[in-house]
């Protein structure tokens, strides 16, 4: 059990006004993390059982479990089946470095960060695996990418523009790429875009950070899906926004909760094409109701259409931006999922009144995206190669999704049930009642398999236990071997 002083530290975090915008589980997680970083909880020290700590704090056990799960995901604690939770061995290095810095004359006692800087640092950021392993989500197949064609187009650009491709670029992006993107989203997604309304960025994550800082002030409310994409939640938390979770059903976001919510919000974030992580598609009537709500309250709709190219069942619904006559929607897309992560090109289709403010704000972040990559991508799209590549990958991904769903049904019977999505690059699986999500994720990690727990994506921490399985980047034989290994690991761990 915690010492009295340690318990009081956690209680102080819960009660501090500066932390009021954070959900309870995040306050507990950050308080315990601070105790570890300060050396108050040494390596190998046991943490209180979740039930006991919940009783001491007067909270639900689920709230404590969610806090512990995040601490484990960040590497601060280890969880051992049947033994409990312990401070991780690796934390000694972090703790010793902190104490050493306090004793060194030429260093300040602690980083003098702003509240926003502290929030960004403590969030851990958004980090992707440099060497993907099954079943890390959101990673496309890169081994099938037409590299020789890309090299040829890049050489053409260099031959025609020469060293001009090495100079600073337009902060809004090169015009040929903006025009190609506008043509593409108009044709394929039913958008209303023109080249002058497209802003080229390095990623959808950058677009989310821009929206959070340009459209809202710290302390203002934004509606988010529950569960929600972790990158969006971290961007909004870092900006000091109050995230108000809105529940989902099989038709996506429950828009009626937004319409009837007495608390005003300046914006809503959603992934309507196939929601992350559930895969649900927002119905047309809810899209229209959301558009009218935004117009009535002069609120913004932040629409992340991150992997809309990959829809496997029926025709995809038109994007919200294309249905919005009031220009209250910011449409965000990325080539990270449709082409390859190393390209570092995303984009936003903006309402006219936001073009200049967002472009100016972007210059304060990184100035511009690399012109050579932009011009090469523009030719790739203009030549029809992008559409051909997406169509080819759509067929490959659909086959891999079907294979994965079948293998989960065969090998994980009695453990988890696949929730086959209509699109996307990952498939959610729900654990059978009584099984531990944390134990499953831990067992998979020890077997060299990456699973993203579903409950950690719920703001309220009350989601049904399960995990997300990315399938796009893995060949059929790799999927088969990984599912077999996962099944063995989960049964041995008695998950």
């Amino acid at each position: 059990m915690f010492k009295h002083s340690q318990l009081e530290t956690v209680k102080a975090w819960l009660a501090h006004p500066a932390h009021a915008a954070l959900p309870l589980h995040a306050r507990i997680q950050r308080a315990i993390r601070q105790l570890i970083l300060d050396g108050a909880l040494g390596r190998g020290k046991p943490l209180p059982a979740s039930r006991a700590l919940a009783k001491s704090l007067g909270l639900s056990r689920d709230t404590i479990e969610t806090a512990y799960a995040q601490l484990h995901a960040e590497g601060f604690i280890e969880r051992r089946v049947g033994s409990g939770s312990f401070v991780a061995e690796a934390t000694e290095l972090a703790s010793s470095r902190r104490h050493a810095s306090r004793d060194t004359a030429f260093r300040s006692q602690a980083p003098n960060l702003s509240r926003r800087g502290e929030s960004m640092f403590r969030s851990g950021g958004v980090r992707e695996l440099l060497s993907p392993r099954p079943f890390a989500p959101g990673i496309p197949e890169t081994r099938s990418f037409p590299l020789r064609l890309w090299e040829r187009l890049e050489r053409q650009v260099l031959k025609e523009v020469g060293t001009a491709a090495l100079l600073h670029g337009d902060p809004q992006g090169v015009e040929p790429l903006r025009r190609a993107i506008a043509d593409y989203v108009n044709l394929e997604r039913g958008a209303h875009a023109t080249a002058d309304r497209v802003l080229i960025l390095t990623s959808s994550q950058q677009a989310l950070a821009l929206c959070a800082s340009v459209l809202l002030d710290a302390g203002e409310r934004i509606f988010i899906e529950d569960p929600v994409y972790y990158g969006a939640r971290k961007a909004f938390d870092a900006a000091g926004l109050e995230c108000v979770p809105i529940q989902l059903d099989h038709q996506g976001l429950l828009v009626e909760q937004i319409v009837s919510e007495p608390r005003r919000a300046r914006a809503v974030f959603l992934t309507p094409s196939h929601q992350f992580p559930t895969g649900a598609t927002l119905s047309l009537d809810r899209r229209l109701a959301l558009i009218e709500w935004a117009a009535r309250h002069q609120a913004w709709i932040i629409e992340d259409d991150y992997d809309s190219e990959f829809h496997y069942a029926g025709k995809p619904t038109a994007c919200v931006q294309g249905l919005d006559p009031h220009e209250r929607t910011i449409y965000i897309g990325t080539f990270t999922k449709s082409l390859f992560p190393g390209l570092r090109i995303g984009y936003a289709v903006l309402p006219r009144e936001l073009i200049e403010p967002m472009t100016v704000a972007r210059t304060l972040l990184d100035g511009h995206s690399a012109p050579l990559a932009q011009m090469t991508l523009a030719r790739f799209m203009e030549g029809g190669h992008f559409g051909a590549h997406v169509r080819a990958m759509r067929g490959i991904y659909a086959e891999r999704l079907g294979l994965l769903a079948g293998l989960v049904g065969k090998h994980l019977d009695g453990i988890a049930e696949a929730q086959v999505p209509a699109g996307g690059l990952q498939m959610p699986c729900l654990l059978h009642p009584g099984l531990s999500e944390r134990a499953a994720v831990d067992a998979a990690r020890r077997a060299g398999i990456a699973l993203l727990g579903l409950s950690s994506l719920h703001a309220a921490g009350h989601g049904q236990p399960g995990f997300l399985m990315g399938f796009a980047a893995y060949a059929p034989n790799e999927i088969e071997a990984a599912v077999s290994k996962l099944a063995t690991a989960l049964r041995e761990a008695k998950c």
Side-chain angles (χ1 to χ4, degrees):
M1 192 62 190
F2 278 155
K3 296 178 181 178
H4 176 73
S5 60
Q6 295 167 345
L7 185 61
E8 290 303 309
T9 297
V10 176
K11 288 181 178 179
W13 264 81
L14 288 173
H16 200 292
H19 307 148
L22 295 173
L24 289 172
H25 68 83
R27 292 184 231 175
I28 294 167
Q29 167 221 342
R30 296 182 187 190
I32 296 175
R33 182 170 58 187
Q34 197 63 49
L35 288 171
I36 294 171
L37 289 172
D38 289 341
L41 284 175
R43 62 171 185 166
K45 293 293 185 182
L47 271 66
S50 57
R51 191 186 305 276
L53 184 55
K55 183 177 180 181
S56 298
L57 297 175
L59 301 174
S60 74
R61 186 184 180 188
D62 286 344
T63 300
I64 307 301
E65 280 292 333
T66 303
Y68 279 9
Q70 185 60 33
L71 286 166
H72 177 83
E74 292 178 350
F76 283 93
I77 68 172
E78 298 173 353
R79 309 199 74 183
R80 305 167 193 167
V81 177
S83 299
S85 301
F86 301 81
V87 178
E89 295 292 321
T91 59
E92 181 185 40
L93 179 60
S95 178
S96 63
R97 283 179 175 173
R98 286 174 64 87
H99 289 297
S101 66
R102 293 172 181 170
D103 298 332
T104 304
F106 58 83
R107 290 192 179 186
S108 59
Q109 186 173 6
N112 186 19
L113 302 179
S114 66
R115 290 180 181 177
R116 179 172 294 180
E118 183 75 12
S119 178
M120 294 170 68
F121 175 59
R122 296 303 177 196
S123 76
V126 178
R127 301 183 182 185
E128 307 292 348
L129 294 172
L130 298 182
S131 299
R133 61 179 184 270
F135 292 97
I139 304 174
E141 171 63 78
T142 56
R143 290 169 291 190
S144 300
F145 185 77
L147 270 178
R148 291 184 179 179
L149 170 61
W150 185 269
E151 288 176 337
R152 177 165 57 84
L153 295 176
E154 189 173 70
R155 286 196 301 271
Q156 288 178 5
V157 170
L158 286 172
K159 184 176 181 180
E160 292 182 19
V161 304
T163 57
L166 310 181
L167 300 175
H168 286 284
D170 185 335
Q172 192 176 345
V174 301
E175 198 275 339
L177 179 57
R178 290 189 281 112
R179 184 177 61 246
I181 289 173
D183 291 343
Y184 175 77
V185 296
N186 290 342
L187 177 64
E188 297 293 335
R189 301 296 299 121
H192 287 156
T194 52
D196 64 302
R197 294 175 61 183
V198 176
L199 173 63
I200 305 299
L201 300 164
T202 55
S203 64
S204 58
Q205 191 66 37
Q206 186 182 48
L208 293 170
L210 270 176
C211 288
S213 58
V214 174
L215 304 181
L216 297 95
D217 288 315
E220 290 191 308
R221 296 185 182 93
I222 181 171
F223 292 126
I224 61 170
E225 300 167 320
D226 191 20
V228 68
Y229 169 57
Y230 51 87
R233 179 61 186 271
K234 290 190 175 186
F236 302 149
D237 283 345
L241 308 185
E242 179 184 349
C243 295
V244 180
I246 302 296
Q247 295 177 319
L248 309 164
D249 64 12
H250 67 284
Q251 295 186 64
L253 192 72
L254 293 173
V255 176
E256 57 267 28
Q257 289 187 3
I258 291 178
V259 174
S260 62
E261 170 61 57
R263 294 177 295 174
R264 294 288 296 274
R266 290 287 308 280
V268 57
F269 168 80
L270 71 163
T271 51
S273 293
H274 26 86
Q275 198 272 337
F276 186 98
T278 67
T281 299
L282 188 65
S283 62
L284 178 59
D285 60 328
R286 295 185 186 182
R287 293 173 187 238
L288 297 176
L290 191 64
I291 289 169
E292 290 309 308
W293 168 83
R296 186 165 61 253
H297 296 286
Q298 289 296 285
W300 298 107
I301 299 172
I302 303 172
E303 177 182 14
D304 189 352
D305 218 22
Y306 66 102
D307 60 2
S308 61
E309 293 87 1
F310 305 114
H311 201 88
Y312 314 123
K315 293 290 290 181
T317 307
C319 66
V320 174
Q321 192 270 355
L323 301 171
D324 180 6
H326 312 292
E327 292 200 23
R328 304 302 304 175
T329 303
I330 298 95
Y331 177 93
I332 297 172
T334 178
F335 294 97
T336 294
K337 306 292 190 294
S338 54
L339 293 179
F340 54 94
L343 182 58
R344 307 316 300 152
I345 293 181
Y347 59 91
V349 180
L350 302 170
R352 296 179 205 281
E353 65 179 288
L354 293 182
I355 297 170
E356 188 172 359
M358 294 285 267
T359 302
V360 170
R362 187 271 167 88
T363 65
L364 298 175
L365 298 179
D366 61 353
H368 65 95
S369 297
L372 179 57
Q374 290 187 69
M375 289 185 277
T376 304
L377 176 56
R379 297 200 174 202
F380 192 75
M381 297 182 76
E382 291 165 351
H385 309 300
F386 177 70
H389 179 70
V390 166
R391 287 190 295 273
M393 300 316 296
R394 188 183 295 139
I396 291 173
Y397 294 165
E399 291 178 3
R400 293 181 180 181
L401 172 59
L403 173 65
L404 178 60
L407 290 170
V408 167
K410 177 181 178 182
H411 293 287
L412 300 185
D413 182 40
I415 297 177
E417 182 177 347
Q419 308 293 300
V420 184
L425 306 182
Q426 48 274 322
M427 180 182 75
C429 293
L430 299 180
L431 284 166
H432 286 202
L435 300 181
S436 167
E437 176 184 300
R438 176 45 51 195
V441 172
D442 285 349
R445 177 176 50 80
R446 290 192 294 269
I449 294 172
L451 298 179
L452 177 62
L454 292 178
S455 65
S456 64
L457 303 176
H458 286 262
H462 299 306
Q464 186 173 346
F467 45 80
L468 206 57
M469 303 180 76
F471 56 83
Y474 316 107
N477 64 309
E478 294 170 334
I479 293 175
E480 291 179 5
V483 172
S484 178
K485 183 186 294 186
L486 175 62
T488 301
L490 295 185
R491 296 190 190 284
E492 288 180 351
K494 298 180 180 179
C495 297

